[in-house]
Amino acid sequence: MSPGLTYLVVRCHSMMAELLSPGELRSLAEAESLRELMNRLGETPYVEALRGVEWKATALEGAYHRVFIERVRRVVELSLGRMAPFLGDYYYMRMELLNLRRVMRGLYAGISPQRIGEELLPLPPYRGPDPRALLEAGDLEGAIKGLGGTIYQPPPEALRLYEKLEAFWPLEQALINTYLDRVYDSMEALRGDERAVASRVVGVALDVENLLTAVKRRGDYRAGRLPPPEALWPHTYRVGLEALRDILDARRVGDAIGMLPQPYRAIFEPLLVGDVAGVRANLNRHLYGMMWRERAKNDYGFNVVLAYLLFSEMEKEDLIRITWGVMEGLKAEDILRYLVVASQPQDKD
Amino acid sequence: MSLSDIRPTKGFLMQLKKRLSYIERGCEFLKLKRDHLAKELTASIDILRGRRRLLLKNLKEAYDAVIAAYLSLGPTEVESQARSIRRRLEIDILPKSVMGVRFPYVKILSKPSVDVELDITLSRAAEKVGAILEEIIRVAEFEARIERLADELGKTNRKVNALENIVIPQYKAVIKFIADKLDEESLEELVRLKLIGGALARRRG
């Protein structure tokens, strides 16, 4: 193991100790008021990040994102040549994509640029232009022009579909496909064993999102408004185009779900009772458990680095859910249904 | 009717009797209206009870879906996507009348249409909320209708009671008074005539 990787792994181990345990997150979810939640958060490493932040769900969400972005930055800066592009693309580009989607969606809907600006994650430009510069274009067509010459420039097919269907989703799908192309490209630079772990994490999440898209697009498919599946899903992992077509064609989605291999059948079980959010919760729990096991297999390599970032991201998402849930007065068991880290068994404390 | 208005004449008596007949007929019509309103109100309350129960069930499902969307995507993403729904609910409130009772009828001019891409969790929530929007409007219409029916029923009932217990008895009392007065006068006239006749006969004899 190179000295650089040793240092990175040791740092990741020590940073992992800062992460909140399942028990701590469960305790936060059980707070009976926002004041109680903030008092409990005051005893965690989030105390500095939350100082002076308005006690509004969106403002607190921004603070959690800032902590996570800082953690990603620290790891990417320390990462070796082959790992940094993959980790940067997988995390930074995903957040950049979120910002671009919010900008374009907001401009499409005629929301004021100031309002859109308030929703953006505090991320410097990574592979694309500054999203705030795109806001100055004032409308979607201007923003599309602003993406010209960058990696996010929509392909002609996406623009044609956008104009033909007068719908925004072809442009969004083009951005997602650009992101996936980039992630798979940078994954190639990883070593074989590292690539195997990365492709499992990326692949399972990709399959689940592809399946959710197929469930959602059944109406468009029947109305003949979908592009060919190969264009819609250029990347798949274990759930191929055949299975996705089965979802589109199925008379009852439940029957097609029942034919999926594991772990997808288990992940999609909540969909059978209409709980789509439960599908994502199951996915995230599956990824968390998978990375826990991968880390246990190899505690001195890339697995630790990816595990730290994945666990950090899950913690951030759990905190966002807990904060909103406590503010809305939801019962702890209703919040816990969708939590990832907090729902892990005690031995992961 | 005050005592100063009473003219104990045959003409006035006939007028009063005619008026009383109109009032009694009007009272009968008002009783019919009251009975009909009561029936309509009872039926409407039963329908509203059923609709409310169904609406509450659907509302709970819609709220659960919205909560799930917030817990899945986070508040910023939900609000960002929700704000991009362009077409709003537009309604026009028109008057409708049944048996003279006016109540509002809500005409839906346009429903919110989701022409932007919502995440699947949010689009499921939007579908459920969209489906119950019209239910909520119809329940609100029904509640306004029931309120107005109950109001009108109350007014009609008060009118019927006022007519039956005050106006009609008053008229009957005045009619009796005048009739008695006229009878008395005609009796006096008769007695006077008899006395005069007797006196005249005695004078002649």
Side-chain angles (χ1 to χ4, degrees):
Chain A
M1 193 160 61
S2 67
L5 183 57
T6 307
Y7 180 68
L8 171 63
V9 167
V10 166
R11 288 287 287 133
C12 285
H13 273 295
S14 79
M15 287 191 290
M16 228 177 303
E18 291 173 2
L19 296 180
L20 301 177
S21 68
E24 282 172 314
L25 281 162
R26 272 195 295 276
S27 158
L28 291 173
E30 286 158 4
E32 298 208 339
S33 68
L34 182 59
R35 183 164 293 279
E36 191 181 331
L37 173 65
M38 298 310 289
N39 287 342
R40 290 184 188 183
L41 278 168
E43 293 157 18
T44 69
Y46 284 87
V47 60
E48 279 308 315
L50 295 174
R51 207 182 294 282
V53 174
E54 200 184 342
W55 287 9
K56 259 173 60 174
T58 47
L60 293 166
E61 183 180 344
Y64 302 139
H65 275 293
R66 276 192 291 278
V67 169
F68 175 64
I69 290 169
E70 177 55 28
R71 287 173 178 170
V72 172
R73 188 195 65 75
R74 266 189 270 163
V75 168
V76 172
E77 271 178 10
L78 291 171
S79 294
L80 301 173
R82 65 177 187 273
M83 284 186 207
F86 168 72
L87 294 173
D89 288 343
Y90 186 58
Y91 285 103
Y92 282 146
M93 226 176 137
R94 185 140 45 95
M95 291 188 278
E96 188 169 64
L97 187 67
L98 187 69
N99 275 350
L100 286 177
R101 288 168 78 174
R102 285 180 182 174
V103 165
M104 294 173 75
R105 189 193 305 132
L107 290 174
Y108 178 74
I111 310 293
S112 76
Q114 192 211 344
R115 196 72 190 83
I116 302 170
E118 287 166 9
E119 293 163 358
L120 300 181
L121 297 179
L123 189 73
Y126 178 62
R127 292 209 182 271
D130 187 346
R132 286 172 207 280
L134 292 180
L135 283 177
E136 284 165 21
D139 59 21
L140 181 57
E141 282 67 33
I144 292 171
K145 276 202 190 81
L147 292 174
T150 71
I151 195 174
Y152 295 110
Q153 180 175 350
E157 179 58 28
L159 286 169
R160 193 189 63 78
L161 264 177
Y162 156 65
E163 278 156 21
K164 179 185 170 197
L165 301 175
E166 290 180 10
F168 179 60
W169 69 261
L171 296 175
E172 274 195 305
Q173 193 59 48
L175 288 175
I176 293 167
N177 291 344
T178 301
Y179 163 69
L180 289 168
D181 288 341
R182 211 32 258 152
V183 164
Y184 274 103
D185 275 346
S186 49
M187 211 191 290
E188 287 302 312
L190 294 172
R191 219 172 51 199
D193 56 331
E194 295 165 352
R195 193 166 49 248
V197 174
S199 78
R200 267 200 294 280
V201 170
V202 171
V204 172
L206 170 68
D207 278 345
V208 169
E209 289 304 323
N210 284 349
L211 284 163
L212 285 173
T213 303
V215 168
K216 192 175 169 206
R217 291 264 164 252
R218 282 156 53 84
D220 285 323
Y221 176 71
R222 284 195 205 104
R225 286 192 296 259
L226 267 195
E230 310 76 50
L232 193 57
W233 297 297
H235 297 282
T236 58
Y237 180 56
R238 287 179 54 210
V239 175
L241 292 176
E242 211 47 55
L244 294 168
R245 266 198 207 95
D246 288 344
I247 298 275
L248 291 172
D249 284 328
R251 280 191 63 193
R252 285 182 51 235
V253 172
D255 296 339
I257 299 287
M259 304 296 290
L260 292 172
Q262 295 289 20
Y264 304 102
R265 212 179 321 142
I267 289 173
F268 271 82
E269 218 175 274
L271 189 68
L272 302 176
V273 296
D275 183 8
V276 183
V279 172
R280 289 227 176 87
N282 276 359
L283 165 66
N284 290 333
R285 286 183 197 127
H286 174 81
L287 291 176
Y288 189 95
M290 196 171 78
M291 272 324 298
W292 193 267
R293 288 187 295 278
E294 289 296 335
R295 196 197 116 177
K297 272 187 220 167
N298 178 5
D299 218 7
Y300 298 100
F302 173 74
N303 294 12
V304 176
V305 178
L306 191 58
Y308 168 66
L309 288 176
L310 191 135
F311 295 164
S312 270
E313 188 173 20
M314 301 290 173
E315 177 182 285
K316 172 207 26 135
E317 297 293 315
D318 272 5
L319 283 171
I320 292 169
R321 291 178 189 112
I322 289 168
T323 305
W324 185 84
V326 168
M327 284 182 83
E328 293 299 314
L330 297 184
K331 288 191 239 171
E333 57 262 32
D334 291 333
I335 305 173
L336 281 164
R337 270 176 69 193
Y338 297 103
L339 297 185
V340 177
V341 183
S343 65
Q344 298 302 316
Q346 287 294 128
D347 61 10
K348 286 206 168 76
D349 275 357
Chain B
M1 205 185 310
S2 68
L3 287 171
S4 56
D5 295 334
I6 299 174
R7 298 189 308 273
T9 61
K10 234 186 193 148
F12 194 62
L13 178 66
M14 280 171 61
Q15 222 177 62
L16 282 181
K17 279 186 176 169
K18 207 172 175 181
R19 231 187 267 174
L20 177 63
S21 158
Y22 280 140
I23 290 170
E24 280 173 336
R25 230 181 319 147
C27 187
E28 284 311 307
F29 281 130
L30 281 176
K31 279 184 189 172
L32 269 173
K33 180 180 176 182
R34 179 185 62 182
D35 293 343
H36 207 85
L37 283 173
K39 224 186 288 183
E40 186 75 27
L41 185 64
T42 312
S44 297
I45 288 173
D46 284 338
I47 294 173
L48 179 66
R49 239 184 237 133
R51 279 193 173 181
R52 261 211 199 127
R53 218 174 302 136
L54 187 63
L55 176 63
L56 285 173
K57 175 177 163 290
N58 292 340
L59 207 51
K60 181 174 185 318
E61 281 175 18
Y63 270 122
D64 285 345
V66 171
I67 286 170
Y70 267 93
L71 288 174
S72 179
L73 301 172
T76 307
E77 185 63 14
V78 167
E79 286 167 21
S80 164
Q81 292 192 27
R83 252 193 296 279
S84 61
I85 295 174
R86 285 199 284 199
R87 254 184 46 197
R88 312 277 176 219
L89 177 69
E90 282 172 20
I91 57 172
D92 206 2
I93 300 179
L94 305 165
K96 213 176 183 184
S97 175
V98 167
M99 284 175 49
V101 182
R102 281 162 65 101
F103 50 84
Y105 163 67
V106 179
K107 186 175 171 187
I108 298 175
L109 299 172
S110 75
K111 287 191 190 178
S113 70
V114 182
D115 52 4
V116 281
E117 193 61 14
L118 295 184
D119 180 83
I120 187 172
T121 51
L122 195 53
S123 88
R124 289 285 168 105
E127 266 169 36
K128 286 197 186 284
V129 171
I132 62 170
L133 265 180
E134 190 158 348
E135 271 178 59
I136 292 174
I137 288 172
R138 296 299 161 225
V139 165
E141 259 181 14
F142 240 85
E143 286 175 351
R145 178 184 163 120
I146 283 172
E147 206 181 294
R148 299 239 194 329
L149 279 174
D151 197 45
E152 186 66 21
L153 178 62
K155 282 189 192 146
T156 307
N157 207 29
R158 279 193 292 279
K159 282 180 194 164
V160 165
N161 288 342
L163 287 173
E164 271 188 336
N165 299 326
I166 298 169
V167 174
I168 291 174
Q170 252 181 12
Y171 265 82
K172 282 184 174 167
V174 170
I175 287 168
K176 185 171 183 307
F177 171 75
I178 295 173
D180 288 348
K181 195 94 180 137
L182 288 173
D183 283 344
E184 209 182 287
E185 281 173 7
S186 75
L187 193 61
E188 278 175 15
E189 187 65 20
L190 187 66
V191 167
R192 217 185 346 265
L193 284 172
K194 274 216 154 109
L195 282 172
I196 291 168
L200 279 173
R202 273 196 306 276
R203 212 176 280 167
R204 271 195 223 110

